[in-house]
Coordinates of all heavy atoms in Angstrom, one line a residue:
M25 N 53.7 53.6 -37.3 CA 52.3 53.6 -37.3 C 51.8 53.8 -38.8 O 52.3 54.6 -39.5 CB 51.8 54.8 -36.5 CG 50.3 55.0 -36.5 SD 49.8 56.4 -35.5 CE 49.3 55.6 -34.0
S26 N 50.9 53.0 -39.2 CA 50.4 53.0 -40.6 C 49.4 54.1 -40.7 O 48.6 54.4 -39.8 CB 49.8 51.7 -41.0 OG 48.7 51.4 -40.2
Q27 N 49.3 54.7 -42.0 CA 48.3 55.7 -42.2 C 47.0 55.1 -42.6 O 46.9 54.0 -43.2 CB 48.8 56.6 -43.4 CG 49.9 57.6 -43.0 CD 50.1 58.6 -44.1 OE1 49.7 58.4 -45.3 NE2 50.8 59.6 -43.8
V28 N 45.9 55.7 -42.2 CA 44.6 55.3 -42.5 C 44.2 55.9 -43.8 O 44.3 57.1 -44.0 CB 43.6 55.7 -41.4 CG1 42.2 55.3 -41.7 CG2 44.0 55.0 -40.0
E29 N 43.7 55.1 -44.7 CA 43.2 55.6 -46.0 C 42.0 56.5 -45.8 O 41.1 56.2 -45.1 CB 42.8 54.5 -46.9 CG 42.4 54.9 -48.3 CD 42.0 53.7 -49.1 OE1 41.7 52.6 -48.6 OE2 42.0 53.9 -50.3
P30 N 42.0 57.7 -46.4 CA 40.9 58.6 -46.2 C 39.6 58.2 -46.9 O 39.7 57.5 -47.9 CB 41.4 60.0 -46.8 CG 42.3 59.5 -47.8 CD 43.0 58.3 -47.3
W31 N 38.5 58.6 -46.4 CA 37.2 58.4 -47.1 C 37.0 59.7 -48.0 O 37.3 60.8 -47.5 CB 36.1 58.4 -46.1 CG 36.0 57.1 -45.3 CD1 36.6 56.9 -44.0 CD2 35.5 55.9 -45.7 NE1 36.4 55.6 -43.6 CE2 35.7 54.9 -44.6 CE3 34.8 55.4 -46.8 CZ2 35.2 53.6 -44.7 CZ3 34.4 54.1 -46.8 CH2 34.6 53.2 -45.8
L32 N 36.6 59.4 -49.2 CA 36.3 60.6 -50.1 C 34.9 60.8 -50.4 O 34.1 59.8 -50.3 CB 37.0 60.3 -51.5 CG 38.5 60.1 -51.4 CD1 39.1 59.9 -52.8 CD2 39.3 61.2 -50.7
S33 N 34.5 62.0 -50.6 CA 33.1 62.4 -50.9 C 32.8 62.1 -52.4 O 33.8 61.8 -53.2 CB 32.9 63.8 -50.6 OG 33.7 64.6 -51.5
V34 N 31.6 62.3 -52.8 CA 31.3 62.2 -54.3 C 32.1 63.2 -55.1 O 32.7 62.8 -56.1 CB 29.8 62.5 -54.5 CG1 29.5 62.6 -56.0 CG2 28.9 61.4 -53.9
E35 N 32.2 64.4 -54.6 CA 33.0 65.4 -55.4 C 34.5 65.0 -55.5 O 35.1 65.1 -56.5 CB 32.9 66.7 -54.7 CG 31.6 67.4 -54.8 CD 30.6 66.8 -53.8 OE1 31.0 66.1 -52.8 OE2 29.4 67.1 -53.9
E36 N 35.0 64.5 -54.3 CA 36.5 64.1 -54.3 C 36.7 62.8 -55.2 O 37.8 62.8 -55.8 CB 36.9 63.8 -52.9 CG 36.9 65.1 -52.1 CD 37.1 64.9 -50.6 OE1 36.5 63.9 -50.1 OE2 37.7 65.7 -49.9
I37 N 35.8 61.9 -55.2 CA 36.1 60.7 -56.0 C 35.9 61.0 -57.5 O 36.6 60.5 -58.3 CB 35.2 59.5 -55.5 CG1 35.8 58.1 -56.0 CG2 33.8 59.6 -56.1 CD1 37.1 57.8 -55.3
A38 N 35.0 61.9 -57.8 CA 34.9 62.4 -59.2 C 36.2 63.0 -59.6 O 36.6 62.8 -60.7 CB 33.7 63.3 -59.3
D39 N 36.7 63.9 -58.8 CA 38.0 64.5 -59.1 C 39.1 63.5 -59.2 O 39.9 63.6 -60.1 CB 38.3 65.6 -58.0 CG 39.6 66.4 -58.4 OD1 39.6 66.9 -59.5 OD2 40.5 66.4 -57.6
H40 N 39.1 62.5 -58.3 CA 40.1 61.5 -58.3 C 40.1 60.7 -59.6 O 41.2 60.4 -60.2 CB 39.9 60.5 -57.1 CG 40.8 59.3 -57.1 ND1 42.1 59.4 -56.7 CD2 40.5 58.0 -57.3 CE1 42.6 58.2 -56.7 NE2 41.7 57.3 -57.1
L41 N 38.9 60.4 -60.2 CA 38.7 59.7 -61.4 C 38.7 60.5 -62.6 O 38.7 60.0 -63.8 CB 37.5 58.8 -61.3 CG 37.4 57.7 -60.3 CD1 36.0 57.1 -60.2 CD2 38.5 56.7 -60.6
K42 N 38.7 61.9 -62.4 CA 38.6 62.8 -63.5 C 37.4 62.6 -64.4 O 37.4 62.6 -65.6 CB 39.9 62.7 -64.4 CG 41.2 62.8 -63.7 CD 41.4 64.2 -63.1 CE 42.8 64.3 -62.5 NZ 42.8 64.6 -61.1
I43 N 36.2 62.5 -63.6 CA 34.9 62.4 -64.3 C 34.0 63.4 -63.6 O 34.3 64.0 -62.6 CB 34.4 61.0 -64.1 CG1 34.2 60.6 -62.7 CG2 35.2 60.0 -64.9 CD1 33.5 59.2 -62.4
S44 N 32.8 63.5 -64.1 CA 31.8 64.4 -63.5 C 31.1 63.8 -62.3 O 31.0 62.5 -62.2 CB 30.7 64.8 -64.5 OG 29.9 63.7 -64.8
K45 N 30.6 64.6 -61.4 CA 29.8 64.1 -60.3 C 28.6 63.4 -60.8 O 28.1 62.4 -60.1 CB 29.4 65.3 -59.4 CG 30.5 66.0 -58.6 CD 30.0 67.0 -57.7 CE 29.0 68.0 -58.3 NZ 28.6 69.0 -57.4
E46 N 28.0 63.8 -61.9 CA 26.8 63.2 -62.4 C 27.1 61.8 -62.8 O 26.2 60.9 -62.6 CB 26.3 64.0 -63.7 CG 25.7 65.3 -63.3 CD 26.7 66.4 -63.0 OE1 27.9 66.2 -63.4 OE2 26.4 67.4 -62.3
T47 N 28.2 61.4 -63.3 CA 28.6 60.1 -63.6 C 28.7 59.2 -62.3 O 28.1 58.1 -62.3 CB 29.9 60.0 -64.4 OG1 29.8 60.7 -65.6 CG2 30.3 58.5 -64.6
V48 N 29.3 59.8 -61.3 CA 29.3 59.1 -60.0 C 27.9 58.8 -59.5 O 27.6 57.7 -59.1 CB 30.1 59.9 -59.0 CG1 30.1 59.2 -57.6 CG2 31.6 60.1 -59.4
Y49 N 27.0 59.8 -59.5 CA 25.7 59.6 -59.1 C 24.9 58.6 -59.9 O 24.1 57.8 -59.4 CB 24.9 60.9 -59.0 CG 25.2 61.8 -57.8 CD1 25.9 63.0 -58.0 CD2 25.0 61.4 -56.5 CE1 26.2 63.8 -56.9 CE2 25.3 62.1 -55.4 CZ 25.9 63.4 -55.6 OH 26.2 64.1 -54.5
R50 N 25.2 58.6 -61.2 CA 24.5 57.6 -62.1 C 25.0 56.2 -61.7 O 24.2 55.2 -61.6 CB 24.9 57.9 -63.6 CG 24.1 57.0 -64.5 CD 24.3 57.5 -66.0 NE 25.6 57.9 -66.4 CZ 26.0 59.1 -66.7 NH1 25.2 60.1 -66.5 NH2 27.3 59.4 -67.0
W51 N 26.3 56.0 -61.4 CA 26.8 54.7 -61.0 C 26.2 54.3 -59.7 O 25.9 53.1 -59.4 CB 28.3 54.7 -60.9 CG 29.0 54.7 -62.2 CD1 28.5 54.3 -63.4 CD2 30.4 55.1 -62.5 NE1 29.5 54.4 -64.4 CE2 30.6 54.9 -63.9 CE3 31.4 55.6 -61.7 CZ2 31.8 55.2 -64.5 CZ3 32.6 55.9 -62.3 CH2 32.8 55.7 -63.7
L52 N 26.0 55.3 -58.7 CA 25.4 55.0 -57.4 C 24.0 54.5 -57.6 O 23.6 53.6 -57.0 CB 25.5 56.2 -56.6 CG 26.8 56.6 -55.9 CD1 26.8 58.0 -55.4 CD2 27.2 55.5 -54.9
E53 N 23.2 55.2 -58.5 CA 21.8 54.8 -58.7 C 21.8 53.4 -59.2 O 20.8 52.6 -58.9 CB 21.2 55.7 -59.7 CG 20.9 57.1 -59.2 CD 20.4 58.0 -60.3 OE1 20.2 57.6 -61.4 OE2 20.2 59.2 -59.9
R54 N 22.7 53.0 -60.1 CA 22.7 51.6 -60.6 C 23.4 50.6 -59.7 O 23.5 49.4 -60.1 CB 23.5 51.7 -62.0 CG 22.7 52.5 -63.0 CD 23.5 52.5 -64.3 NE 22.8 53.4 -65.3 CZ 23.4 53.8 -66.4 NH1 24.6 53.4 -66.7 NH2 22.7 54.6 -67.2
G55 N 24.0 51.0 -58.6 CA 24.6 50.1 -57.7 C 25.9 49.6 -58.3 O 26.3 48.5 -57.9
K56 N 26.6 50.3 -59.1 CA 27.8 49.8 -59.8 C 29.1 50.1 -59.0 O 30.0 49.3 -59.0 CB 27.9 50.5 -61.2 CG 26.8 50.0 -62.2 CD 27.0 50.5 -63.5 CE 28.2 49.9 -64.2 NZ 28.4 50.3 -65.6
I57 N 29.2 51.3 -58.5 CA 30.5 51.7 -57.9 C 30.5 51.3 -56.4 O 29.5 51.4 -55.7 CB 30.7 53.3 -58.1 CG1 32.1 53.7 -57.7 CG2 29.6 54.0 -57.3 CD1 32.4 55.1 -58.1
P58 N 31.7 50.8 -56.0 CA 31.8 50.5 -54.5 C 31.7 51.7 -53.7 O 32.5 52.6 -53.8 CB 33.2 49.8 -54.4 CG 33.9 50.2 -55.6 CD 32.9 50.5 -56.7
A59 N 30.7 51.8 -52.8 CA 30.5 53.0 -52.0 C 29.9 52.5 -50.6 O 29.4 51.4 -50.5 CB 29.6 53.9 -52.7
H60 N 30.0 53.4 -49.7 CA 29.5 53.2 -48.3 C 28.6 54.4 -48.0 O 29.0 55.5 -48.1 CB 30.6 53.0 -47.3 CG 31.6 51.9 -47.7 ND1 31.4 50.6 -47.4 CD2 32.7 52.0 -48.5 CE1 32.4 49.9 -47.9 NE2 33.2 50.7 -48.6
R61 N 27.4 54.1 -47.4 CA 26.5 55.2 -47.0 C 26.9 55.5 -45.5 O 27.0 54.7 -44.7 CB 25.1 54.7 -47.1 CG 24.1 55.7 -46.9 CD 23.8 56.4 -48.3 NE 23.0 57.5 -48.1 CZ 22.0 57.9 -48.9 NH1 21.8 57.1 -50.0 NH2 21.3 58.9 -48.7
V62 N 27.1 56.8 -45.3 CA 27.4 57.3 -43.9 C 26.4 58.4 -43.7 O 26.5 59.5 -44.2 CB 28.8 57.9 -43.8 CG1 29.1 58.4 -42.4 CG2 29.9 56.9 -44.2
G63 N 25.3 58.0 -42.9 CA 24.2 59.0 -42.8 C 23.5 59.1 -44.1 O 23.2 58.2 -44.7
K64 N 23.4 60.4 -44.6 CA 22.8 60.6 -45.9 C 23.8 60.8 -46.9 O 23.5 61.2 -48.1 CB 21.9 61.9 -45.7 CG 20.7 61.7 -44.9 CD 19.8 62.9 -44.9 CE 18.6 62.6 -44.0 NZ 17.7 63.7 -44.1
Q65 N 25.1 60.7 -46.6 CA 26.2 60.9 -47.6 C 26.8 59.7 -48.0 O 26.9 58.7 -47.3 CB 27.2 61.9 -46.9 CG 26.6 63.2 -46.5 CD 27.7 64.1 -45.9 OE1 28.8 63.6 -45.5 NE2 27.4 65.3 -45.7
W66 N 27.3 59.7 -49.3 CA 28.1 58.6 -49.8 C 29.6 58.8 -49.6 O 30.1 60.0 -49.7 CB 27.9 58.4 -51.3 CG 26.5 57.9 -51.6 CD1 25.4 58.6 -52.0 CD2 26.1 56.5 -51.5 NE1 24.4 57.8 -52.2 CE2 24.8 56.5 -51.9 CE3 26.7 55.4 -51.1 CZ2 24.0 55.3 -51.9 CZ3 26.0 54.2 -51.1 CH2 24.7 54.2 -51.5
R67 N 30.3 57.8 -49.2 CA 31.8 57.9 -49.0 C 32.4 56.7 -49.8 O 31.9 55.7 -49.9 CB 32.1 57.8 -47.5 CG 31.7 59.0 -46.8 CD 32.5 60.2 -47.2 NE 32.1 61.4 -46.4 CZ 31.6 62.5 -46.9 NH1 31.3 62.5 -48.2 NH2 31.3 63.5 -46.2
F68 N 33.7 57.0 -50.2 CA 34.4 56.0 -51.1 C 35.8 55.8 -50.5 O 36.4 56.8 -50.1 CB 34.5 56.6 -52.5 CG 33.2 57.0 -53.1 CD1 32.6 58.2 -52.8 CD2 32.5 56.1 -53.9 CE1 31.4 58.5 -53.4 CE2 31.2 56.4 -54.4 CZ 30.7 57.6 -54.2
K69 N 36.3 54.6 -50.6 CA 37.7 54.3 -50.3 C 38.4 54.3 -51.7 O 38.0 53.5 -52.6 CB 37.9 52.9 -49.7 CG 37.5 52.9 -48.2 CD 38.5 53.7 -47.4 CE 38.2 53.5 -45.9 NZ 39.2 54.1 -45.1
P70 N 39.4 55.2 -51.9 CA 40.0 55.2 -53.2 C 40.6 53.9 -53.7 O 40.5 53.6 -54.9 CB 41.2 56.3 -53.0 CG 40.7 57.1 -51.8 CD 39.9 56.2 -50.9
S71 N 41.1 53.1 -52.8 CA 41.7 51.8 -53.2 C 40.6 50.9 -53.7 O 40.8 50.1 -54.7 CB 42.4 51.1 -52.0 OG 41.5 50.9 -50.9
E72 N 39.4 50.9 -53.1 CA 38.3 50.1 -53.6 C 37.9 50.5 -55.0 O 37.6 49.7 -55.9 CB 37.1 50.1 -52.6 CG 37.3 49.5 -51.3 CD 36.2 49.6 -50.3 OE1 35.1 50.2 -50.7 OE2 36.2 49.1 -49.2
V73 N 37.7 51.8 -55.2 CA 37.3 52.3 -56.5 C 38.4 52.1 -57.5 O 38.0 51.7 -58.6 CB 37.0 53.8 -56.3 CG1 36.6 54.4 -57.7 CG2 35.8 54.0 -55.4
D74 N 39.6 52.3 -57.2 CA 40.7 52.0 -58.1 C 40.7 50.5 -58.6 O 40.9 50.2 -59.8 CB 42.1 52.4 -57.5 CG 42.3 53.9 -57.4 OD1 41.5 54.6 -58.0 OD2 43.2 54.2 -56.6
E75 N 40.5 49.6 -57.6 CA 40.5 48.2 -58.0 C 39.3 47.9 -58.9 O 39.3 47.1 -59.8 CB 40.4 47.4 -56.7 CG 40.6 45.9 -56.9 CD 41.9 45.5 -57.6 OE1 42.9 46.2 -57.3 OE2 41.9 44.7 -58.5
W76 N 38.1 48.5 -58.6 CA 36.9 48.4 -59.4 C 37.2 48.9 -60.8 O 36.8 48.2 -61.8 CB 35.8 49.2 -58.7 CG 34.5 49.2 -59.5 CD1 33.6 48.2 -59.6 CD2 34.0 50.4 -60.1 NE1 32.5 48.7 -60.3 CE2 32.7 50.0 -60.6 CE3 34.4 51.7 -60.2 CZ2 31.9 50.9 -61.3 CZ3 33.6 52.6 -60.9 CH2 32.4 52.2 -61.5
V77 N 37.8 50.0 -61.0 CA 38.2 50.5 -62.3 C 39.1 49.6 -63.0 O 38.9 49.2 -64.2 CB 38.8 51.9 -62.2 CG1 39.4 52.4 -63.6 CG2 37.8 52.9 -61.7
K78 N 40.1 49.1 -62.4 CA 41.1 48.2 -63.0 C 40.4 46.9 -63.4 O 40.9 46.3 -64.4 CB 42.2 47.8 -62.0 CG 43.2 49.0 -61.7 CD 44.2 48.6 -60.7 CE 45.0 49.8 -60.2 NZ 45.9 49.4 -59.1
S79 N 39.4 46.4 -62.7 CA 38.7 45.2 -63.1 C 37.8 45.3 -64.3 O 37.3 44.3 -64.8 CB 37.9 44.7 -61.9 OG 36.7 45.5 -61.7
G80 N 37.7 46.6 -64.8 CA 36.9 46.8 -66.0 C 35.4 47.1 -65.8 O 34.7 47.2 -66.7
N81 N 35.0 47.1 -64.5 CA 33.6 47.4 -64.2 C 33.2 48.8 -64.3 O 32.0 49.1 -64.2 CB 33.3 46.9 -62.8 CG 33.4 45.4 -62.7 OD1 33.0 44.7 -63.6 ND2 33.9 44.9 -61.6
A82 N 34.1 49.7 -64.6 CA 33.7 51.1 -64.7 C 33.3 51.5 -66.1 O 32.9 52.7 -66.3 CB 34.9 52.0 -64.2
S83 N 33.3 50.6 -67.0 CA 32.9 51.0 -68.4 C 31.4 51.2 -68.4 O 30.7 50.5 -67.8 CB 33.3 49.9 -69.4 OG 32.7 48.7 -69.1
E84 N 31.0 52.3 -69.1 CA 29.6 52.6 -69.2 C 28.9 51.7 -70.1 O 29.4 51.3 -71.2 CB 29.5 54.1 -69.8 CG 29.8 55.1 -68.8 CD 28.7 55.4 -67.8 OE1 27.5 54.9 -68.0 OE2 28.9 56.0 -66.8
E85 N 27.7 51.2 -69.6 CA 26.9 50.4 -70.5 C 25.9 51.3 -71.2 O 25.4 52.2 -70.7 CB 26.1 49.4 -69.6 CG 26.9 48.5 -68.8 CD 26.1 47.6 -67.9 OE1 24.9 47.7 -68.0 OE2 26.7 46.9 -67.1
R86 N 25.7 51.0 -72.5 CA 24.8 51.8 -73.3 C 23.4 51.2 -73.0 O 23.2 50.0 -73.1 CB 25.1 51.7 -74.8 CG 26.5 52.3 -75.1 CD 26.4 53.8 -75.1 NE 27.7 54.3 -75.4 CZ 28.1 55.5 -74.9 NH1 27.3 56.2 -74.2 NH2 29.3 55.9 -75.2
V87 N 22.4 52.1 -72.8 CA 21.1 51.7 -72.6 C 20.3 52.0 -73.8 O 20.3 53.2 -74.3 CB 20.5 52.4 -71.3 CG1 19.0 52.1 -71.2 CG2 21.3 52.1 -70.1
Q88 N 19.6 51.1 -74.4 CA 18.8 51.3 -75.6 C 17.4 51.6 -75.2 O 16.8 51.0 -74.3 CB 18.8 50.0 -76.5 CG 20.2 49.7 -77.0 CD 20.1 48.6 -78.0 OE1 19.1 48.2 -78.4 NE2 21.3 48.2 -78.4
N89 N 16.8 52.6 -75.8 CA 15.4 53.0 -75.5 C 14.5 52.3 -76.4 O 14.6 51.9 -77.5 CB 15.3 54.6 -75.8 CG 16.1 55.3 -74.8 OD1 16.4 54.9 -73.7 ND2 16.6 56.5 -75.2

């Protein structure tokens, strides 16, 4: 029997990536990070986020004022 990949919360994905929760929320606001809405909460598949990071899409863009 294969194991089902767990869904992670904002706090857990931040810990997984070794970044702050604020960075995760900023990415969510910008629609950058792969995430799924479950009710009022965000959930993440670690494999999707890892692939997104490997593709280079996790680099922060500088916003000029």
Side-chain angles (χ1 to χ4, degrees):
M25 179 180 259
S26 64
Q27 285 191 344
V28 176
E29 182 179 23
W31 289 95
L32 300 183
S33 66
V34 169
E35 293 81 10
E36 291 167 325
I37 203 67
D39 185 53
H40 175 74
L41 295 173
K42 308 294 187 240
I43 59 172
S44 70
K45 291 188 308 186
E46 289 76 19
T47 298
V48 175
Y49 282 117
R50 188 169 45 250
W51 286 339
L52 284 167
E53 287 174 3
R54 295 179 185 168
K56 291 184 72 173
I57 191 169
H60 305 271
R61 192 84 188 219
V62 179
K64 293 184 178 184
Q65 299 178 349
W66 288 103
R67 292 291 182 244
F68 306 85
K69 286 288 188 177
S71 61
E72 291 177 1
V73 175
D74 289 344
E75 191 59 38
W76 174 72
V77 170
K78 289 177 192 175
S79 72
N81 291 322
S83 61
E84 283 285 341
E85 297 175 9
R86 298 283 178 207
V87 177
Q88 295 187 9
N89 295 331

